[in-house]
Amino acid sequence: MTAHGLLFIALILILVLGSAIPLGAYLARILTGKTRLLAPIETGIYRLCGIDPARPMGWTSYAIALLMLSVIHFLLLYAILRLQYYLPFNPQHIAGMAPMLAFNTAASFTTNTNWQAYAPESQISNGAQMFGLMVHMFISAAAGIAVAAALMRGFIGGGLKSLGNIYVDIIRITLYLLLPIALLAATLLLIGGVPMTLDAFAHLHTITGAPQTIARGPVALQEAIKELGTNGGGFFNANSAHPFENPNAMTNLLEIWLMLVIGFALPIAFGHMIGRKREGLALFAAMALILGFAMVGDYAAEAANNPILIHAGIMAHPGNMVGKEARFGIAQSTTFNIAATGTSTGAINSVTDSYTPLGGLIPLFLMQLGEVAPGGVGSGLYGMVLFALLAVFVAGLMVGRTPEYLGKKIQSREIKLAMLAVLIQTLFILAGAGFSLLTKSGLASLENAGPHGLTEMLYGWTSATENNGSAFAGLAANTPLLDYGLGLAMLFGRFAVLIPVLAIAGSLAAKPKLPPSTGTFPTDTPLFVLLLIGIIIILGGLQFMPADTLGPLAEQYLMLKGTVF
């Protein structure tokens, strides 16, 4: 490791954490309806869509509306992908997607996963990119934040029957948060060299006279919301390693900031909404500590070089540059990777498949923790609150008292729902990866055998179920087994967690809000932050350790012995 690399990580954390605090305060104003600068536009949208903004929604109404909205958007996106050949803005005359790939892609972008089992520049038209994929990047991100807002409202008072109105939440989040920042970021990316055009691909000749086709399109705005909404679906197959998506060090810095800032702003907004800022800061601190250690750890693993070369007595400088962009280097590549897997972004600017075993294990383990550091927009916050409920439950067992969190008694219903949300993802990841490795189709999708092949499959199912979308490479995912299997994993990974979260929010909202007593376990102290991190590692991560031991850890051991497989 170098001082330059460590300073880059420090710069990222300072910029993100510093800007997340004022953004969190602003986000709280949006979620409480105190920001109405665009009130005429907001009101016009309500009238156009037939929305009654004053209509209260209990948790069941909120959940049903979210599910219906998601089904409609899934079907619309599926239709766009299948019929894109006949739709406007298709200068390359790209054919419609096959049914199984369209299903996988529609499930992916509806759930904020943005897993891509295709080459976007050759299989998606400009029109489908803009009106299909990009629209869903806004809506899926807004829906995640809306669910987090509903959970926040469950802690505000006692005897509440309403969690807000999901349509109002989505419109306000999009109008006041996502669109303004995305437009500003797209302008900065455009200045940095990212293209934004509806023209067809450019055809030219190189200096040697050979013909060359250069893919281009409306990249800048998609790149902005791709990172800001923790989506990750790139315009190009190389994603943020492509110079048209991420041309230089400044755009790389901007994109990392975009991925992280809303995730860290949400716990700050949580503290403002419940009137207890220190509680939000405690969640904020837990997220920051996990992410910071992951960034330094992954950088150290890649800077330490390939274990096989070390065993052979070869020390390459500056470390494992395999799969890294020369214009970014190791520190900027690993920091981007950790930001993408610590959130649910899934964007990449390097090839994770070419990382050292430990360098690949850290982003995999971050996803297996439940992506709460800081997690996807919305999903990271409500995932962290689930772990906080489990933490106070454990603390309550230690002192022999009924656990409380933010003035709400945490009883068996909330704990059962929280464990359901945590365990449902584990089931899909381990069962899906295990089943795939027992089938000929699944084994045929692997480029590598042995522990590395196991890691490829485990990473794919983890990425899909946790709604991340990044790939380990080496996995041919466009097969019936993986298109439909991973598509279902994305849907269950999203909605089998959202429903229990909203049920918990409804249950907590209806309970009376109790004042702190002498027996209340404080949840705004460094001790609670450490307990919370411990619960995340134990309940979120250790259940995957047997599989991780057979994959990246076994690979690390074999490589240290100098074994090539």
Side-chain angles (χ1 to χ4, degrees), residues 7-346:
L7 285 173
F8 178 79
I9 294 174
L11 175 63
I12 285 292
L13 292 175
I14 291 170
L15 290 176
V16 169
L17 302 183
S19 56
I21 292 175
L23 182 62
Y26 171 68
L27 183 52
R29 292 182 60 84
I30 294 173
L31 299 179
T32 53
K34 295 178 180 177
T35 297
R36 301 298 304 278
L37 295 175
L38 303 175
I41 298 175
E42 183 183 338
T43 303
I45 295 174
Y46 295 149
R47 291 176 179 172
L48 181 65
C49 299
I51 295 170
D52 178 8
R55 176 194 170 195
M57 287 185 172
W59 83 263
T60 52
S61 300
Y62 206 97
I64 291 171
L66 175 62
L67 289 174
M68 290 180 63
L69 190 66
S70 300
V71 168
I72 292 170
H73 280 278
F74 172 86
L75 294 175
L76 285 173
L77 181 54
Y78 180 84
I80 289 172
L81 296 173
R82 296 282 288 127
L83 300 173
Q84 65 179 347
Y85 180 80
Y86 305 100
L87 298 177
F89 303 105
N90 187 6
Q92 306 306 129
H93 306 293
I94 296 173
M97 275 190 177
M100 66 180 188
L101 184 57
F103 169 82
N104 182 278
T105 306
S108 176
F109 281 81
T110 302
T111 58
N112 199 244
T113 308
N114 304 87
W115 170 274
Q116 293 174 297
Y118 55 88
E121 59 264 54
S122 61
Q123 292 179 270
I124 297 280
S125 69
N126 287 344
Q129 292 267 26
M130 290 187 297
F131 302 112
L133 306 189
M134 196 188 305
V135 167
H136 281 77
M137 289 182 180
F138 279 97
I139 293 176
S140 64
I145 299 174
V147 173
L151 181 59
M152 293 180 201
R153 294 181 185 119
F155 291 99
I156 291 176
L160 302 177
K161 296 182 179 180
S162 173
L163 296 177
N165 185 304
I166 188 170
Y167 304 116
V168 172
D169 286 338
I170 288 177
I171 289 170
R172 285 180 177 168
I173 291 164
T174 303
L175 195 59
Y176 293 105
L177 180 71
L178 298 179
L179 267 175
I181 299 179
L183 289 172
L184 177 60
T187 303
L188 294 175
L189 290 171
L190 193 62
I191 294 171
V194 178
M196 186 71 185
T197 178
L198 294 177
D199 291 340
F201 291 176
H203 300 279
L204 46 82
H205 290 83
T206 65
I207 57 175
T208 62
Q212 183 176 356
T213 299
I214 299 179
R216 58 185 181 175
V219 184
L221 184 55
Q222 180 168 325
E223 188 70 16
I225 188 58
K226 167 190 122 178
E227 312 293 16
L228 179 64
T230 61
N231 293 285
F235 190 93
F236 299 98
N237 194 36
N239 212 290
S240 290
H242 196 289
F244 280 4
E245 288 198 30
N246 193 5
N248 51 58
M250 291 305 297
T251 59
N252 195 59
L253 180 70
L254 173 61
E255 290 182 20
I256 296 173
W257 181 86
L258 287 170
M259 282 190 275
L260 295 171
V261 68
I262 294 181
F264 277 109
L266 278 164
I268 302 300
F270 182 39
H272 280 274
M273 287 187 65
I274 63 176
R276 299 168 68 172
K277 297 179 184 179
R278 286 175 56 90
E279 299 287 354
L281 286 172
L283 303 183
F284 178 89
M287 292 175 173
L289 285 171
I290 294 172
L291 187 76
F293 277 112
M295 284 182 172
V296 174
D298 209 45
Y299 177 38
E302 292 305 292
N305 207 354
N306 189 306
I308 291 179
L309 297 181
I310 295 173
H311 186 271
I314 302 172
M315 289 299 293
H317 183 77
N320 182 35
M321 277 295 293
V322 179
K324 314 291 192 305
E325 283 289 316
R327 56 203 161 96
F328 298 136
I330 293 175
Q332 291 192 47
S333 298
T334 56
T335 304
F336 194 106
N337 197 347
I338 293 302
T341 48
T343 61
S344 68
T345 311

Side-chain angles (χ1 to χ4, degrees), residues 347-545:
I348 56 166
N349 73 350
S350 56
V351 182
T352 314
D353 191 44
S354 299
Y355 278 38
T356 64
L358 290 182
L361 171 63
I362 293 173
L364 172 62
F365 194 63
L366 265 183
M367 292 189 292
Q368 291 170 343
L369 289 179
E371 288 192 323
V372 291
V377 288
S379 62
L381 187 277
Y382 61 69
M384 184 62 82
V385 172
L386 291 181
F387 281 118
L389 297 181
L390 296 173
V392 296
F393 174 71
V394 171
L397 292 177
M398 292 178 180
V399 299
R401 287 181 58 89
T402 302
E404 297 177 16
Y405 186 57
L406 306 180
K408 302 283 185 170
K409 283 193 176 294
I410 308 303
Q411 297 170 302
S412 62
R413 172 179 169 84
E414 290 78 35
I415 296 302
K416 290 175 182 177
L417 288 169
M419 287 305 303
L420 174 64
V422 171
L423 294 177
I424 192 71
Q425 294 181 321
T426 307
L427 171 65
F428 268 88
I429 292 169
L430 296 179
F435 177 78
S436 298
L437 293 172
L438 293 174
T439 65
K440 291 182 179 180
S441 174
L443 292 173
S445 294
L446 297 177
E447 184 176 314
N448 298 277
H452 197 79
L454 170 60
T455 305
E456 289 172 352
M457 186 64 74
L458 181 63
Y459 194 104
W461 279 90
T462 302
S463 178
T465 307
E466 294 288 354
N467 299 141
N468 182 274
S470 66
F472 205 71
L475 181 67
N478 188 18
T479 65
L481 171 65
L482 294 181
D483 271 339
Y484 289 120
L486 294 179
L488 290 172
M490 295 172 206
L491 294 169
F492 276 92
R494 176 77 161 181
F495 297 109
V497 175
L498 287 181
I499 304 307
V501 166
L502 288 172
I504 290 173
S507 175
L508 294 175
K511 293 183 178 184
K513 193 171 180 68
L514 306 174
S517 65
T518 55
T520 300
F521 183 76
T523 54
D524 58 357
T525 63
L527 177 61
F528 179 75
V529 172
L530 294 177
L531 174 63
L532 178 57
I533 293 174
I535 292 296
I536 292 170
I537 293 173
I538 293 170
L539 296 181
L542 290 186
Q543 53 198 332
F544 295 100
M545 284 309 296

